[in-house]
């Protein structure tokens, strides 16, 4: 156990090396701001150099991590759990949970975009048939009645002339859009998505509860564990922990840390409560995911797919309606 042991810069280097291995294995490390892997590597190196500089001036690793503004709260929480919890690999889940959550959002939005992509493909080939065959038949009809093409038919004829351009350009744009989505969407914040903030907060609180439970299981007191993790990673309502020191904890974490366990083994029971709290927060996050799966494909399908079908329908029926108006005139 690392109870009471003073951390060294070598311990911090070993911790960062563990994170590098996770990155190399393709796991989504998240430092709280959606940085791409190469930027995360740079930030880890920068944290290491800043802390090393402070340590060379006589400051402890713990003080340097607490005072360095560059260090994200989630990183410090994972470090404290890893070092003081006897270097458990599962402590690194605090840094992978947010990345996994962001990937879950990406998967749901990507699934919702499949339907409009299918509709776009159908509309694309339907529009090609429209300008090559239907527009030609309408043009011949106008020639037979000695009338100039209507405005909508003239637009279709222009589209037929430019078919070699847009016929190639549209698939290329779709292809590059899919490639861009695949490479870039993992680091998007998705702030526009309803419930996204609640989802990410629930994941963060669940990770915090698990880190706190791990420290208790490593023979640290509740007050010491809360002090190690700090409140920067959370930022919520002020609560009193059993030692009397004020810390910022959300409501359910207040319950898990303040419940009287005088008749039971303190550490094991408190850790069990915290793990129950973590499961509850993850359940709340999963409910947001289920909501997205139910309405997101419908909304995006109606907005994008509906607009595509509307444009195709107008292009198809407007020339016919205008032709019927001309033929019905006395």
């Amino acid at each position: 156990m690392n109870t009471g042991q003073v951390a060294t810069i070598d311990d911090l280097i070993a911790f960062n090396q563990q994170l590098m291995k996770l990155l190399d294995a393709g796991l989504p490390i998240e430092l709280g701001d959606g940085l791409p892997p190469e930027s995360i590597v740079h930030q880890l190196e920068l944290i290491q150099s800043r802390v090393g500089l402070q340590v060379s001036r006589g400051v402890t690793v713990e003080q340097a991590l607490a005072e360095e503004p560059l260090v994200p709260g989630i990183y410090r929480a994972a470090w404290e759990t890893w070092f003081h919890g006897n270097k458990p690999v599962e402590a690194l889940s605090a840094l992978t949970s947010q990345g996994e959550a962001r990937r879950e959002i990406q998967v749901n939005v990507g699934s919702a975009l499949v339907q409009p992509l299918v509709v776009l493909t159908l509309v694309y080939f339907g529009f090609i048939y429209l300008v090559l065959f239907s527009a030609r038949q309408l043009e011949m009809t106008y020639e037979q009645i000695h009338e100039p093409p209507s405005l909508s038919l003239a637009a279709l004829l222009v589209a037929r002339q430019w078919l070699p351009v847009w016929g190639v350009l549209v698939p290329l744009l779709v292809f590059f859009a899919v490639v861009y989505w695949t490479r870039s969407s993992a680091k998007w914040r998705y702030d526009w998505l309803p419930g996204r903030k609640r989802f990410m907060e629930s994941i963060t609180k669940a990770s915090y509860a698990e880190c706190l439970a791990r420290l208790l299981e490593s023979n640290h007191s509740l007050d010491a564990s809360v002090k190690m993790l700090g409140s920067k990673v959370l930022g919520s309502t002020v609560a009193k922990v059993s030692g009397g020191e004020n810390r910022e904890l959300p409501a359910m974490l207040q319950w898990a840390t303040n419940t009287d366990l005088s008749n039971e083994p303190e550490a094991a029971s408190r850790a069990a409560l915290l793990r129950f709290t973590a499961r509850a927060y993850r359940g709340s996050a999963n409910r947001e995911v289920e909501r997205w799966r139910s309405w997101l494909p419908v909304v995006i399908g109606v907005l994008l797919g509906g607009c595509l079908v509307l444009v195709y329908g107008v292009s198809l029926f407007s020339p016919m309606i205008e032709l019927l108006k001309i033929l019905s005139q006395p």
Side-chain angles (χ1 to χ4, degrees):
M1 299 285 180
N2 288 321
T3 306
Q5 183 176 332
V6 178
T8 66
I9 192 63
D10 290 335
D11 293 318
L12 187 65
I13 293 173
F15 175 69
N16 285 343
Q17 287 175 347
Q18 290 284 343
L19 298 183
M20 298 288 191
K21 291 178 181 178
L22 292 180
L23 281 174
D24 293 338
L27 292 179
I29 295 295
E30 182 78 43
L31 296 183
D33 43 16
L35 294 175
E38 57 273 13
S39 298
I40 292 176
V41 172
H42 175 71
Q43 188 170 2
L44 291 175
E45 293 173 347
L46 193 56
I47 290 173
Q48 191 169 295
S49 62
R50 292 278 186 90
V51 173
L53 181 61
Q54 294 296 324
V55 170
S56 66
R57 296 174 177 172
V59 178
T60 65
V61 172
E62 304 288 357
Q63 290 175 326
L65 288 172
E67 296 172 0
E68 175 56 55
L70 184 66
V71 177
I74 192 68
Y75 174 90
R76 183 170 179 269
W79 152 259
E80 296 288 356
T81 310
W82 180 83
F83 180 73
H84 294 285
N86 199 27
K87 298 182 172 62
V89 176
E90 60 267 23
L92 303 180
S93 63
L95 291 175
T96 60
S97 59
Q98 286 195 353
E100 291 171 352
R102 194 183 299 274
R103 183 174 291 180
E104 183 71 29
I105 297 176
Q106 177 195 11
V107 169
N108 279 274
V109 175
S111 299
L113 291 174
V114 171
Q115 180 182 348
L117 188 60
V118 172
V119 173
L120 175 61
T121 303
L122 296 175
V123 169
Y124 171 76
F125 287 108
F127 196 74
I128 290 178
Y129 179 86
L130 179 63
V131 299
L132 288 180
F133 299 101
S134 300
R136 177 57 183 165
Q137 294 175 355
L138 289 170
E139 184 182 21
M140 293 173 60
T141 302
Y142 274 94
E143 290 176 354
Q144 291 175 359
I145 62 177
H146 305 289
E147 289 285 343
S150 64
L151 184 61
S152 57
L153 178 58
L156 291 179
L157 297 178
V158 172
R160 185 175 65 188
Q161 293 176 353
W162 288 90
L163 177 60
V165 177
W166 63 261
V168 176
L169 190 60
V170 169
L172 284 177
L173 289 176
V174 172
F175 172 77
F176 285 119
V178 171
V179 172
Y180 177 74
W181 162 265
T182 303
R183 294 183 176 180
S184 304
S185 59
K187 61 178 181 287
W188 293 354
R189 294 184 57 86
Y190 301 97
D191 289 333
W192 54 271
L193 192 61
R196 182 261 182 198
K197 183 178 179 182
R198 291 192 302 271
F199 175 76
M200 297 302 294
E201 285 181 350
S202 295
I203 294 296
T204 301
K205 292 171 184 176
S207 298
Y208 184 93
E210 289 169 349
C211 289
L212 200 55
R214 179 64 194 181
L215 289 175
L216 291 177
E217 291 170 344
S218 302
N219 297 329
H220 290 81
S221 68
L222 179 59
D223 290 326
S225 300
V226 173
K227 186 176 181 180
M228 287 177 191
L229 296 182
S231 59
K232 187 168 67 170
V233 66
L234 288 173
S236 189
T237 57
V238 176
K240 268 193 175 181
V241 185
S242 56
E245 186 176 0
N246 287 334
R247 293 291 172 185
E248 294 180 359
L249 294 176
M252 196 163 184
L253 280 171
Q254 292 182 36
W255 168 77
T257 54
N258 292 337
T259 299
D260 184 15
L261 298 175
S262 56
N263 297 325
E264 302 179 37
E266 172 71 17
S269 301
R270 187 75 63 189
L273 275 181
L274 287 165
R275 294 196 184 278
F276 172 80
T277 301
R279 290 194 298 272
Y281 278 128
R282 292 195 184 278
S284 176
N286 290 334
R287 285 192 293 273
E288 291 295 338
V289 172
E290 292 302 320
R291 292 190 188 99
W292 294 333
R293 288 175 180 169
S294 63
W295 64 262
L296 194 58
V298 176
V299 172
I300 294 182
V302 169
L303 291 178
L304 297 181
C307 290
L308 291 171
V309 172
L310 177 63
V311 171
Y312 179 76
V314 170
S315 302
L316 175 63
F317 292 109
S318 290
M320 296 181 180
I321 293 173
E322 291 173 344
L323 177 59
L324 290 175
K325 289 175 61 177
I326 293 175
L327 293 177
S328 62
Q329 291 178 355

